[in-house]
Amino acid sequence: MELENAAVPATNRFASLYIENMESVKDFFQYNIKEETVFRQRYDDLMKRQFNREGIAECIDHYMKKFPTSAAVKRSLEYFRDRRSVAVIGGQQAGLLTGPLYTIHKIISIIKLAEQQERDLGQPVIPIFWIAGEDHDYLEINHIFAPGKENFKKKNYNEAFAGKMMASHMEFDKEKMQAWTRQIFSYFGDRSHTKDMLAVIDEAISNTRTFTEFFSYLIMYFFKDYGLLLIDSADPMLRQLEKPFFSSLINNRQMITDSVLNQQEKKQGMGFSKAIEIDGYAANLFYYHENERDLLEFDPEEKVFVSKTNELRFTDGELFELLELYPERFSNNVVTRPLMQEWLFPTLAFIAGPGEIAYWGELLPAFQAMGSQMPPIVPRLNITLLDKTTDRNLDELNLSVAKVLEKGTADDRNRFMSSIKDDGFESLIQGTKEVLAGQYKRIIARINEIDRGHVQLAETNLAMQIRQLEFLQRKVEDSMTKKHSAVLEKYHRVEQMLKPDGQPQERIWNIFYYLNEYGKNFIDELLNLPYEFDGRHKIIRI
């Protein structure tokens, strides 16, 4: 594998400025990651604080006992208990077969930044992946995109789950899941590593029950030797630890909401769109009831917390009593999850995708309102995998990989199509259509004098003649396209691999396509590359 850097803009303007021109948006963040001493400063700030390291370590250890482990994982847990240690954290939903490639890119980012900062600081830095197991959007995680001949097919795992059930409570049917994964691999093709990869997946299915566990098993199978720790945000043990901060979030609900709204107003005043949907009544908490995860609001007139459907209604006292008895029923939203994470973990840096950068940029006053700090936000590595066939096609088509990543191949393909057109033939067809139109104009004029009843017949006859000419033109153009089909297929293949359906590769492709092709060591090869967190796009030639 070879790594090279390219300048490819981020997918939203705010994130692009954060990466390329931090100065213009630095007031939305606590730390300026462009400063050389930022991580030393953050480390010193963390050393002034106290964390429930033993409780969190026990919680992580208990959660991870179900998954593949290693000496490196045990060492990370031991280091986490050491008050000198800090963590690099990032998170994502529990997608099937690990979800889109960007989840893997985020994990690689967490591990590599932790390694780099451990060397630079001379202190233990633990890589931690926070699984959003409390999320209930089943439609976001129940599929992957499989490559077809012409385009990608969205392949859903079809199993019904009641209500807005959290991913960590969704128990899948093992036989259905196994059949679904076989179907996915039929699109990947039978390769030398197919049997091994299916065995890994079968092992994961056999040893897990829920979507989140299935995800966690696969992640630890491939990343256990790098000391990665996992935490499920919906873990009941974690909820017990979170009770004091949930109380604080409830007490300070209006201050948190007002802080976010004010920051959004400031952001919009600079020409940016807001990233978080929130109104003045937001309590920024979910309550889990009968497999329904309901977002709570606060009604200031009746002084009660209510769900969107108005089915749930709690006074302050009732909510605090429920929190004490059933903390597992409470969960954070996009506003309070970062606040909770900062309270729980000694976070040296948070690894964020473009969308996360945009919404974290609305949270700094909320952190400050809670007497807390926002950690340094480090953009995750943006990676594109470039296989040899695609690389060769780029060279033969004289295409720039950076240009394809930004704009796709449509413009170049259209220019090629124009270059192979027979302009003389097209001109001849057009001329014939004009002659026909002129002649029929005279015919229709004469018919109009003889018998107006046949005018419509003449017009229909002209339209039929024009359609026949256009049909002939299309058939000739199809012949030209077939004649150059090998070249056109290369354009299609390049776009499918690098900019599928107009989307970044990392949003469509799945890591098992590459593991099926190259084997388990593919992950290790990716992790052995010399990444720099410099905001540039990483192109990896396989």
Side-chain angles (χ1 to χ4, degrees), residues 121-182:
L121 296 171
Q123 301 291 351
V125 181
I126 317 303
I128 298 178
F129 190 80
W130 176 293
I131 306 165
E134 64 198 8
D135 282 1
H136 59 267
D137 196 338
Y138 174 62
L139 297 180
E140 282 194 24
I141 61 173
N142 75 334
H143 64 274
I144 73 167
F145 293 96
K149 183 172 176 58
E150 295 299 323
N151 48 38
F152 280 80
K153 301 178 185 294
K154 186 178 181 180
K155 305 306 295 181
N156 294 318
Y157 171 75
N158 294 313
E159 186 172 354
F161 293 96
K164 297 178 183 177
M165 187 180 289
M166 295 192 293
S168 291
H169 290 179
M170 293 178 184
E171 296 191 13
F172 58 84
D173 181 284
K174 293 179 186 291
E175 289 186 6
K176 284 184 179 178
M177 186 64 77
Q178 193 173 50
W180 179 80
T181 58
R182 293 304 191 273

Side-chain angles (χ1 to χ4, degrees), residues 334-347:
V334 68
V335 171
T336 54
R337 186 182 294 164
L339 301 175
M340 181 68 78
Q341 177 185 287
E342 178 67 10
W343 182 76
L344 286 169
F345 294 97
T347 308

Side-chain angles (χ1 to χ4, degrees), residues 278-336:
I278 184 175
D279 60 34
Y281 300 105
N284 301 303
L285 291 172
F286 283 93
Y287 186 78
Y288 200 57
H289 177 69
E290 295 181 352
N291 290 329
E292 289 281 340
R293 186 168 175 254
D294 288 304
L295 186 64
L296 299 180
E297 293 184 342
F298 186 74
D299 184 335
E301 292 185 4
E302 297 190 33
K303 300 191 184 310
V304 292
F305 292 86
V306 297
S307 62
K308 290 282 188 182
T309 60
N310 212 31
E311 291 179 15
L312 300 177
R313 299 175 69 83
F314 308 116
T315 64
D316 274 45
E318 289 170 337
L319 203 63
F320 283 121
E321 185 177 345
L322 288 167
L323 176 62
E324 186 61 34
L325 294 172
Y326 310 109
E328 68 279 2
R329 295 182 185 177
F330 290 75
S331 60
N332 296 290
N333 77 337
V334 68
V335 171
T336 54

Side-chain angles (χ1 to χ4, degrees), residues 20 43 64 68 134 190 200 242 251 255 313 344 401 542:
E20 299 162 14
Y43 182 84
M64 293 185 67
E134 64 198 8
D190 192 8
V200 171
E242 292 174 337
N251 280 326
M255 183 171 60
R313 299 175 69 83
L344 286 169
V401 62
I542 303 170

Side-chain angles (χ1 to χ4, degrees), residues 181-237:
T181 58
R182 293 304 191 273
Q183 182 189 33
I184 297 302
F185 270 72
S186 72
Y187 287 94
F188 293 161
D190 192 8
R191 302 288 187 268
S192 58
H193 299 285
T194 300
K195 186 177 179 180
D196 290 341
M197 287 304 104
L198 286 174
V200 171
I201 292 168
D202 287 348
E203 178 184 316
I205 292 171
S206 175
N207 287 283
T208 59
R209 300 175 300 110
T210 68
F211 274 42
T212 304
E213 289 177 356
F214 184 34
F215 172 89
S216 298
Y217 197 100
L218 292 174
I219 292 300
M220 290 314 299
Y221 182 88
F222 292 108
F223 292 98
K224 64 182 182 297
D225 293 331
Y226 298 91
L228 181 70
L229 300 183
L230 301 182
I231 185 71
D232 177 6
S233 61
D235 189 342
M237 280 187 69

Side-chain angles (χ1 to χ4, degrees), residues 244-260:
F245 199 69
F246 269 119
S247 291
S248 186
L249 292 175
I250 294 168
N251 280 326
N252 294 288
R253 60 186 176 270
Q254 197 60 53
M255 183 171 60
I256 293 169
T257 294
D258 291 344
S259 298
V260 175

